[in-house]
Amino acid sequence: MNALLIACFLILNTTLGFADDDDQPAAKQSSSAGSATIFLSAAAQTASGLQTITLTPVNHQAEFTAYGKAVNIQPLIELRHRYSLALTERNGATARFKQAEQNIKRQQDLYRDGATSKHNLQVQQAQWQTDKAQVDASGAQGEAIADEARLNWGKSLTEWALSSDSDRLNVFLSGKQTLLQITLPVNKQLAGDIQSIYVEASGNRSAAHKAELISAAPQTDTTAQGESYFFQTDGHHARPGMRVAAWIPEQDENQSGVVIPKSALIWHMEQAFVYIKTAEEQFSRRTIDQFSATADGYFVGNGINIGEQLVITGGQMLLSEEFRGQIPDEDD
């Protein structure tokens, strides 16, 4: 009989204990139109690893996205080889022409002195004309190759390829640098003071690296209709044939706001929002309507304020607590 009484006491005590746990949630939630507030104890914040940062002001250069490709410079190298051959031919033709000029002067002197025949003088004159024609032809060939290079590659790359100092082109041959052709959207232009942009093959803005402007491209990409430009970037990040995304500063579009880490942005029902710590044990959900990707996260121009405490770790937990608080008790 005593054993039965003890068992009943234990069962009753356990049942009451579970009831007490259900009546004491870790977080409490209240809401109003367009916002939600979560109450979470300091102990629960520590246990869950929740972290915040204080938002500081930043000036952000607005960007637009363009696309392009890493270019194989083999055709430009072939033009350089053709130009070198034409230059060699012209140098040889020039040397022969100079020799022909000396020979004809000597033949003219001999002819005046009666030491040679008119036929010999005429033969030398014909040779002089032939050598001069070869000089002119080799020069025209070199100019035609240079014109072809400028039509396809622009002035700067042509100068790099055809000049005697080829160090600037050798960085592409060695793989240290990769040539990019970036084509802008039809309604966009490259600001005059822009010398560098950011590019990335996977389209991840936070992983983007710098690309330096070379020149405008004389021909645009056949798949787009906007202005096209040549850039160069680190060869480790892009290889010929790869497609790349580019982030280009807008003209005169400096904005003030804050930058938030990627971990702070929470998505639910295709809506982005963050949590702000408004008191020691109180958090408020804020909707973020507009934001843009940066190397450090996302730039937000409005919706959250400088000096506020932004939740950077634990936002998903707060979301779960918020929606758990909206579920009615079975007894309601």
Side-chain angles (χ1 to χ4, degrees), residues 125-303:
Q125 287 175 333
Q127 185 62 49
W128 178 88
Q129 291 174 345
T130 299
D131 291 340
K132 185 177 185 305
Q134 290 179 345
V135 171
D136 294 339
S138 59
Q141 183 181 10
E143 285 299 321
I145 295 171
D147 289 342
E148 181 182 349
R150 281 189 286 267
L151 284 172
N152 289 284
W153 299 93
K155 181 180 178 181
S156 296
L157 285 172
T158 296
E159 291 177 351
W160 293 6
L162 305 187
S163 67
S164 56
D165 181 12
S166 58
D167 288 345
R168 302 195 74 173
L169 200 63
N170 286 340
V171 295
F172 299 114
L173 295 175
S174 65
K176 292 180 179 179
Q177 293 282 302
T178 297
L179 181 66
L180 304 176
Q181 183 176 0
I182 305 297
T183 302
L184 277 53
V186 175
N187 60 338
K188 297 294 185 179
Q189 293 181 331
L190 191 68
D193 59 344
I194 298 299
Q195 294 300 315
S196 63
I197 62 174
Y198 284 87
V199 298
E200 220 287 308
S202 68
N204 183 358
R205 178 63 180 86
S206 62
H209 47 276
K210 186 176 290 188
E212 302 291 341
L213 175 66
I214 296 175
S215 68
Q219 299 184 21
T220 191
D221 193 324
T222 55
T223 61
Q225 300 298 320
E227 296 179 357
S228 194
Y229 295 85
F230 286 124
F231 292 83
Q232 65 183 64
T233 191
D234 191 322
H236 294 94
H237 297 114
R239 294 296 184 185
M242 295 175 65
R243 303 293 298 184
V244 298
W247 292 269
I248 302 172
E250 293 271 15
Q251 298 187 64
D252 302 324
E253 285 290 339
N254 276 319
Q255 299 175 336
S256 297
V258 296
V259 171
I260 65 173
K262 284 188 174 181
S263 61
L265 198 67
I266 307 298
W267 286 90
H268 179 70
M269 301 290 289
E270 299 185 355
Q271 176 65 62
F273 53 86
V274 297
Y275 281 98
I276 299 295
K277 187 174 185 178
T278 55
E280 194 63 32
E281 297 184 347
Q282 182 175 320
F283 300 85
S284 175
R285 175 161 54 89
R286 301 275 185 85
T287 300
I288 305 298
D289 293 321
Q290 293 184 342
F291 60 91
S292 55
T294 70
D296 302 318
Y298 300 106
F299 172 79
V300 180
N302 51 62

Side-chain angles (χ1 to χ4, degrees), residues 51-120:
Q51 296 180 358
T52 65
I53 60 171
T54 302
L55 294 172
T56 57
V58 297
N59 287 322
H60 174 68
Q61 177 75 57
E63 297 174 329
F64 65 89
T65 305
Y67 298 92
K69 60 185 177 181
V71 180
N72 187 344
I73 66 168
Q74 179 62 33
L76 183 60
I77 299 302
E78 292 177 356
L79 285 172
R80 183 172 75 169
H81 291 331
R82 286 170 51 197
Y83 185 79
S84 296
L85 289 175
L87 195 61
T88 300
E89 291 178 3
R90 179 169 185 175
N91 290 338
T94 300
R96 291 190 296 273
F97 177 68
K98 289 181 179 179
Q99 184 63 46
E101 282 188 320
Q102 295 176 1
N103 292 340
I104 197 171
K105 288 179 180 179
R106 184 168 62 254
Q107 285 294 328
Q108 288 172 342
D109 292 340
L110 291 173
Y111 180 73
R112 281 194 299 267
D113 295 339
T116 188
S117 65
K118 185 176 182 179
H119 174 73
N120 289 339

